[in-house]
Structures are given as C-alpha cells and as structure tokens.
Amino acid sequence: GFIDLRSNADVASDSASFWPSFTDIMMVVVMIFMLASVVLILRNWELVAELRSTMEAERQAAAMARAASETNATLEEQLAQAQHQLSELRMQLMQAAQADQLKSQLLSERERQLARLQQKQSELETALQQARQQSDTLERRVARQRERLSEQDAQLATASERLAALEQAHSAQTEELARLKENEQQATRQYAVLQGEYDQLKVKYDKLIKPARSARGKHVVEVRYEKLDNDYRINYKAQGDKGYRTLSRKELERQLDRLHQRYPKQLYVKIIIPDESGLSYNEAWDFMKQLLEKYDYYYQ
C-alpha cells in the first residue's frame, strides 16, 4: 500500500521477473549438457572396450602369424636337411653300385678264363688219350711185324715224344688253372676289402650328418647338378627366386663369389643330385666337395 519512491522502480520490477526465467533456462542447459556428457562418456566407454578387444585380437593374430612363420621356417630347414642327406645317400649308393659292377666284371672274366682253360684241358686229355691209343696201336704193330722193327721203333719214339710234350702241356695247363683259382681268391679278397672300405665310408658319412650344419638363419641357395646326353647341366636358384636358372660353371662361381662376399659366414649351399642324374660317384662327389669347401659356411 506504500508508494514506490525509487526512481527505477519499473526497471527493478522487470529485473525481478527476468532472473528467474534466466535461471530456469540455464538449469535446462546444464541438464542437457550433463545428459550429453553422460551419453558421451558411455559411448566412449564402449569405444574403449571395442578398441581393447580389437587390440587383443590383433595381438593374438600377430602371435599366430609369428608361430606360423616359425613353423614354416622349421619345415623348410628340415626339408633342406633331408634333401642334402638324400643327395649324399645317392652318392653312396652309386659308389656301391660301381663296386658291385666291378666285382661282377672281374668274376665274369675269371669264369670265362676258367671255361677256356677247362676246354683246353679237355682237348689235351682227348689228345693224350688219342696219343695213348696210337701208342698201343704201334706196340701191337711191333709185335705183329718184327721185320719192320726199326721203322716201328722210330714211330714209337715219335709217339712217346708227342706223349711227353702233351703231358708237359697238360701239367702247364694244370698250373695255369691253379694260378687262375688263386687270382679268383685274390679278387674275392679285394671285394671284401672294398666292402670294408664302403662300411668305413658309411661310418664317416654318419659322422658327417651332424646337426651342426643347418639352414636356419642362413642365406640359402640351391644348385642342381646332372648329366644329360653327355652334357653337364647346372641349375641355380637363389633365395627369393621362383624357379631355377641354367648356368655354366663360371657363371655359377661368379654368383657364389658375390654371395660369399656379401654373406661370408651365412651362405648355405644346398646341392641336389637328382635320381637318374647320369653322374658317376666321382663326378658328383668332386663337384659337391669343391663347392662346399669354397663357399658353404660350414666348411669355412
């Protein structure tokens, strides 16, 4: 009921009505901001959970990839070792086959000589029997024809000399037969010695196959060596190549010299001697020995 004496009474009345409305508006804004913050926090929490699960999945995939890579490396190493062992076994088999072939040739030659001597002995025995028959005939003629005693005595002397010569030849052939039998026994002993050397080589080969030489962690190159129609062929495959290349001996050595300078203690030379290679044991062994001793890390 009092009169408002303030000079800005109208302004104060308007201010009193404005601030509650402004407060309500700010309250609504703050509530919206808080709701939006809660939604963002929940969304970020879900994103963090998804990110963690994704990182865990990536870690597991990387672990599986590393395990698969190690398994593949182990299998490649085992394959390289098995191929190297197979090549050396093939060389040993070629050596044994050559030894057996030499023994067979020696035995065949001794059998042919023995057959010839037996045939000669049979001929000499037949001639000796004929000479004896002739001698008997001559003796009967001497008994019947005494008047021709001098002529018959000459014939008898001739027959006796021929008989002595035949007996001497028979004795010589008997001695030759005994010598051939002794040679056959010597050949048998030589074969036994060769067999013993083969056993020793096999022992040395078993010692050579030791786990110290491995392709694991090495720079591996493959060299295939064979002989086709009297033509020596060298196929070369470097690490990372998709297929083999045919090289000459000089080109192969240039490649290996370059790799040996680049990987002085890491170069693994895998030499493959295929089945039916056409190579002799000495050819295959000399080729393998020269390359390994000159370039392979294990023989340095």
Side-chain angles (χ1 to χ4, degrees), residues 58-239:
E58 290 179 354
R59 187 184 64 78
Q60 293 178 359
M64 293 176 65
R66 287 196 297 273
S69 177
E70 293 176 357
T71 303
N72 291 333
T74 303
L75 292 175
E76 290 178 356
E77 178 185 356
Q78 293 177 357
L79 178 59
Q81 189 69 21
Q83 289 179 345
H84 181 73
Q85 293 177 1
L86 181 60
S87 299
E88 293 185 350
L89 287 174
R90 286 173 182 163
M91 289 191 296
Q92 295 297 331
L93 290 175
M94 286 190 290
Q95 184 187 20
Q98 289 180 356
D100 290 339
Q101 184 179 5
L102 178 61
K103 184 203 74 171
S104 300
Q105 292 176 356
L106 291 174
L107 291 177
S108 299
E109 183 64 25
R110 294 296 183 273
E111 289 177 356
R112 287 194 295 269
Q113 292 179 359
L114 181 62
R116 288 196 296 268
L117 290 175
Q118 289 177 349
Q119 184 178 0
K120 289 181 180 180
Q121 182 181 5
S122 178
E123 292 175 355
L124 290 174
E125 290 177 352
T126 302
L128 179 60
Q129 185 177 3
Q130 291 176 356
R132 287 176 179 175
Q133 291 177 357
Q134 291 177 2
S135 179
D136 293 340
T137 302
L138 290 174
E139 286 177 358
R140 288 193 298 269
R141 288 179 180 179
V142 169
R144 289 194 304 267
Q145 300 177 1
R146 292 183 178 276
E147 64 276 9
R148 301 176 62 184
L149 181 60
S150 58
E151 183 180 357
Q152 295 295 328
D153 289 337
Q155 293 179 357
L156 180 60
T158 302
S160 298
E161 290 175 358
R162 184 178 178 184
L163 177 61
L166 290 174
E167 289 178 349
Q168 184 177 2
H170 179 266
S171 177
Q173 293 294 330
T174 303
E175 293 177 356
E176 181 67 16
L177 180 61
R179 185 177 65 81
L180 288 176
K181 289 182 178 179
E182 183 179 357
N183 290 337
E184 183 179 2
Q185 294 177 356
Q186 185 177 2
T188 304
R189 289 193 295 269
Q190 290 177 355
Y191 172 73
V193 172
L194 289 175
Q195 186 68 30
E197 292 178 353
Y198 170 74
D199 294 336
Q200 292 177 359
L201 286 174
K202 188 175 185 302
V203 172
K204 293 180 179 179
Y205 164 72
D206 293 336
K207 291 181 179 179
L208 286 175
I209 306 177
K210 51 187 179 182
R213 187 172 185 266
S214 173
R216 184 181 182 88
K218 304 298 185 298
H219 187 82
V220 181
V221 296
E222 296 182 12
V223 179
R224 291 172 58 91
Y225 189 52
E226 56 188 347
K227 183 178 181 183
L228 301 175
D229 298 330
N230 295 324
D231 184 20
Y232 296 94
R233 180 173 298 178
I234 300 174
N235 294 323
Y236 172 79
K237 181 180 179 183
Q239 185 169 327

